[in-house]
Amino acid sequence: MGIFSTSNLKSSIKNRKYYNQIKSSGLFDYEFYESTYDDFNGDALTHYLTEGFKQGKLPSLDFDPDVYYRLYPDVEVAGINPLLHYVAHGKAEGKYIQQSYSIRRKEEICETNLAFLSNYEFDIEPLVSIIILTRDGLNHLKRLFKDFGAKTNYSNYEIIVVDNASSDGSVDYLKSLDLPITIIENSENVSFSKGNNDAAKIAKGEYLLLLNNDIEPTYGWLNEMVGTIVYNDGVASVGAKLIFPFYFTANREVSYNIQHSGDIFAERMNPCCLYAKNKSDSSLDIFDSSLTQNNQCVAVTGAVNLIDKKVYDELSGLDEEYIYGLEDVDFCLKLHKNDYKVLFAGNAVLFHHESSTRVKSESYFENDKHNFSVFWKKWGQYLSRNLFLDKINSIKFFTEKNLKITIIDENNPENKELISEISQKFNDLNYYVELITDMKNNYVGNSSDILLSFTDSYNLDNLIAREDIVKVIVNRGNLTTDGYDITVSLDDDKSGDININEDFASEFLEKLENIIKDDYEF
């Protein structure tokens, strides 16, 4: 629809009359509108005047239509374009306007975080080598390095940028910066692991900081991270609190929510069987008390990760068998296995523009499949054992989920009392219990950890469940004065049998835990 459309002559005349005034007002930003909204053709201002304002599009970051409508509801009721109304009448009448919510909320987050900063002081600031990989990421680099020195609040650092054959002027831009930058200019796109390992070889710092190019820092971030690793014993890695930026189109519902506050593991069947995910509870405020302190966690993302260089070298850096995925989780598990701590620094706040750098092409899914194959081969046994023990003891370190026990029975009257008794006791221990009496589809699902079968009618090998589920066959003996005489056989040759009397639930889990600790093969 053109600006002079005859379908609504009155609106068209107004659009024509005030077009140039709106254009010169400074409240319509062509560059912003065209880069933010790509679902139109033709002149951007014409589109906003005729269609865009009806779709809730912003004319610029300096004018919030929602605020204008809220303050002056008669404008909205009349269906008038709020920016046109302001330029035509509102400005002369002294009507109030505000910057967009995206600007206001961002400033509020940055200002609030100042109150939580530790502002660490050091006798001598240890040198930090900041390592950044980039490929055709000029716009990201410009955002990352905007006011970089002022936001960093830490003076002793060097920057090593690994450029993976960029063709968008990234290298020239980096050379123009007045910052201590060394550039490794690659002729090909090397992996995240190799790029960081290559940079680590020439790094002079006591600490390495792995930093994505799609990060936007806030004031004090580096001082907070360095202080956290220096003033806490046994810590080899520190991650940061990452916030989703504001999304004007897709993913708008996650704008300014927590994107990362440490990693946790969850279950799935394919690819088997456990995977790391960011702790990003959208119900929590950014400054919830649990998120404004340093917390130990099993892993943090490599998007922002401060690492003791001696430990990085000791553990041979990032595993180069991975192709852009899971190398950061792999490294953190190496730290855990070698008794080093990983901390989440709750007051080191950065915005992570992650969705703008991930293109899920066919190669992405192929790499994902490859990476999980490598990861599971290395860590499957280790992770399954640790998550199982974590759930039994409700530690909530490797995972936030409770233990889930699935009981299979065929409505056998002889088992009814026993199953009821042990189900209640498992519930008392804060475990989930599921009873299945019909296994025609063989489906158990991906969330069950232990399978208790009170029947031999089903072939447990045919069940649709995680590969690391613990399968247990319960064979009831005779009822005795001491309780049920039960023999529990694990689906593993090394485990042997567990003979349990009286309190089935607690004795079973205690003995099962000991077996898992020793030599149980998942």
Side-chain angles (χ1 to χ4, degrees):
M1 184 181 295
I3 192 170
F4 310 120
S5 169
T6 58
S7 64
N8 191 331
L9 184 60
K10 189 175 180 180
S11 293
S12 297
I13 292 172
K14 282 188 176 181
N15 289 341
R16 178 182 180 181
K17 181 178 179 180
Y18 294 106
Y19 180 92
N20 289 329
Q21 286 180 249
I22 294 170
K23 186 175 180 179
S24 61
S25 70
L27 295 176
F28 185 83
D29 186 333
Y30 273 86
E31 183 179 352
F32 164 79
Y33 197 85
E34 290 170 349
S35 62
T36 303
Y37 310 112
D38 58 2
D39 57 347
F40 71 94
N41 295 313
D43 179 65
L45 179 51
T46 298
H47 180 269
Y48 175 71
L49 289 172
T50 56
E51 298 293 332
F53 84 94
K54 300 174 187 176
Q55 299 164 355
K57 289 179 167 59
L58 293 178
S60 72
L61 294 177
D62 292 320
F63 184 88
D64 191 327
D66 291 336
V67 170
Y68 199 79
Y69 276 149
R70 191 161 59 248
L71 292 174
Y72 313 108
D74 54 317
V75 177
E76 184 174 17
V77 171
I80 302 173
N81 183 314
L83 179 56
L84 185 150
H85 184 274
Y86 175 74
V87 171
H89 309 288
K91 185 175 181 181
E93 296 169 0
K95 284 185 164 41
Y96 180 77
I97 64 172
Q98 266 195 340
Q99 288 182 313
S100 74
Y101 169 80
S102 62
I103 296 293
R104 303 195 315 270
R105 178 57 177 150
K106 183 178 179 180
E107 291 176 349
E108 182 182 87
I109 290 169
C110 293
E111 290 176 6
T112 301
N113 196 59
L114 295 177
F116 293 97
L117 291 176
S118 302
N119 294 311
Y120 290 103
E121 295 183 0
F122 309 91
D123 292 334
I124 299 176
E125 288 183 336
L127 178 63
V128 177
S129 298
I130 302 173
I131 301 174
I132 302 164
L133 270 65
T134 188
R135 175 180 171 85
D136 292 334
L138 179 59
N139 290 334
H140 294 310
L141 293 173
K142 287 180 177 180
R143 181 177 54 231
L144 169 62
F145 286 118
K146 183 180 180 181
D147 301 325
F148 188 82
K151 291 176 180 175
T152 298
N153 189 29
Y154 190 89
S155 60
N156 196 18
Y157 61 87
E158 63 171 353
I159 301 171
I160 303 173
V161 178
V162 180
D163 184 84
N164 282 332
S166 293
S167 58
D168 65 348
S170 291
V171 173
D172 290 339
Y173 168 74
L174 291 167
K175 290 179 179 178
S176 73
L177 296 174
D178 185 21
L179 290 170
I181 295 181
T182 299
I183 305 172
I184 298 176
E185 297 184 51
N186 289 329
S187 59
E188 60 179 345
N189 186 18
V190 302
S191 71
F192 185 81
S193 294
K194 179 169 173 50
N196 280 287
N197 288 344
D198 288 346
K201 291 174 184 175
I202 65 170
K204 303 181 180 68
E206 184 177 343
Y207 298 101
L208 305 175
L209 178 67
L210 312 189
L211 186 68
N212 275 18
N213 70 349
D214 58 357
I215 289 293
E216 183 180 357
T218 71
Y219 180 82
W221 68 283
L222 186 53
N223 177 279
E224 196 73 24
M225 295 186 75
V226 176
T228 300
I229 201 169
V230 167
Y231 292 113
N232 288 279
D233 294 337
V235 177
S237 171
V238 171
K241 179 159 63 180
L242 304 185
I243 311 296
F244 283 113
F246 188 84
Y247 294 111
F248 293 94
T249 52
N251 302 322
R252 195 163 185 171
E253 70 281 356
V254 304
S255 297
Y256 295 143
N257 283 344
I258 297 288
Q259 190 259 343
H260 172 268
S261 58
D263 283 351
I264 207 78
F265 284 92
E267 313 92 343
R268 65 182 175 194
M269 284 188 283
N270 186 38
C272 192
C273 284
L274 305 165
Y275 67 99
K277 65 174 186 175
N278 294 326
K279 294 174 68 176
S280 54
D281 187 344
S282 60
S283 67
L284 289 180
D285 186 84
I286 292 173
F287 299 104
D288 185 89
S289 60
S290 65
L291 298 174
T292 54
Q293 54 188 303
N294 298 332
N295 296 318
Q296 188 174 350
C297 52
V298 65
V300 292
T301 177
V304 184
N305 191 356
L306 183 68
I307 305 170
D308 187 319
K309 188 176 187 300
K310 288 183 295 186
V311 178
Y312 189 91
D313 293 339
E314 173 194 328
L315 300 181
S316 302
L318 301 180
D319 188 335
E320 295 184 19
E321 196 170 354
Y322 295 101
I323 307 172
Y324 278 100
L326 294 175
E327 55 279 284
D328 48 355
V329 181
D330 177 282
F331 185 79
C332 287
L333 288 177
K334 286 196 290 186
L335 293 174
H336 183 269
K337 191 173 183 180
N338 286 275
D339 296 324
Y340 291 110
K341 294 178 184 176
V342 176
L343 287 186
F344 156 70
N347 302 316
V349 172
L350 306 97
F351 297 98
H352 189 193
H353 297 257
E354 180 182 37
S355 68
S356 59
T357 59
R358 286 195 171 187
V359 179
K360 295 190 176 182
S361 60
E362 183 177 344
S363 61
Y364 172 91
F365 290 106
E366 285 299 316
N367 289 346
D368 192 54
K369 182 178 179 181
H370 164 81
N371 291 334
F372 267 102
S373 175
V374 173
F375 183 78
W376 193 249
K377 184 177 180 180
K378 286 184 65 175
W379 296 107
Q381 181 73 10
Y382 185 83
L383 274 179
S384 292
R385 174 178 284 113
N386 277 283
L387 261 80
F388 193 90
L389 298 177
D390 191 281
K391 288 180 178 181
I392 282 183
N393 296 293
S394 298
I395 298 172
K396 306 291 185 181
F397 183 71
F398 275 86
T399 181
E400 294 176 326
K401 294 191 174 183
N402 293 342
L403 190 75
K404 182 176 179 180
I405 300 166
T406 297
I407 299 174
I408 298 178
D409 185 54
E410 296 179 299
N411 283 322
N412 187 335
E414 293 183 2
N415 296 329
K416 184 176 181 180
E417 183 180 348
L418 174 59
I419 289 175
S420 176
E421 178 185 336
I422 64 175
S423 295
Q424 291 177 30
K425 289 186 177 179
F426 282 141
N427 276 151
D428 290 343
L429 294 169
N430 206 28
Y431 304 145
Y432 298 127
V433 179
E434 174 185 54
L435 176 63
I436 299 178
T437 58
D438 183 357
M439 286 295 297
K440 287 181 180 179
N441 60 9
N442 289 326
Y443 185 81
V444 174
N446 64 4
S447 61
S448 188
D449 303 295
I450 301 174
L451 181 69
L452 289 180
S453 178
F454 283 80
T455 176
D456 56 5
S457 299
Y458 304 109
N459 184 346
L460 300 188
D461 293 333
N462 294 333
L463 297 179
I464 301 172
R466 297 201 325 264
E467 288 182 15
D468 62 347
I469 191 171
V470 177
K471 299 173 184 176
V472 179
I473 301 172
V474 180
N475 299 304
R476 283 195 54 187
N478 296 320
L479 184 64
T480 68
T481 54
D482 294 324
Y484 294 103
D485 180 14
I486 302 169
T487 299
V488 180
S489 302
L490 276 74
D491 188 22
D492 183 281
D493 292 339
K494 295 183 180 180
S495 65
D497 294 340
I498 310 174
N499 296 303
I500 299 173
N501 294 293
E502 300 179 355
D503 188 351
F504 177 91
S506 59
E507 289 191 43
F508 164 64
L509 288 173
E510 179 183 351
K511 294 184 180 182
L512 184 57
E513 179 181 0
N514 291 333
I515 288 174
I516 298 298
K517 284 179 178 177
D518 294 336
D519 61 0
Y520 183 76
E521 294 292 330
F522 286 91

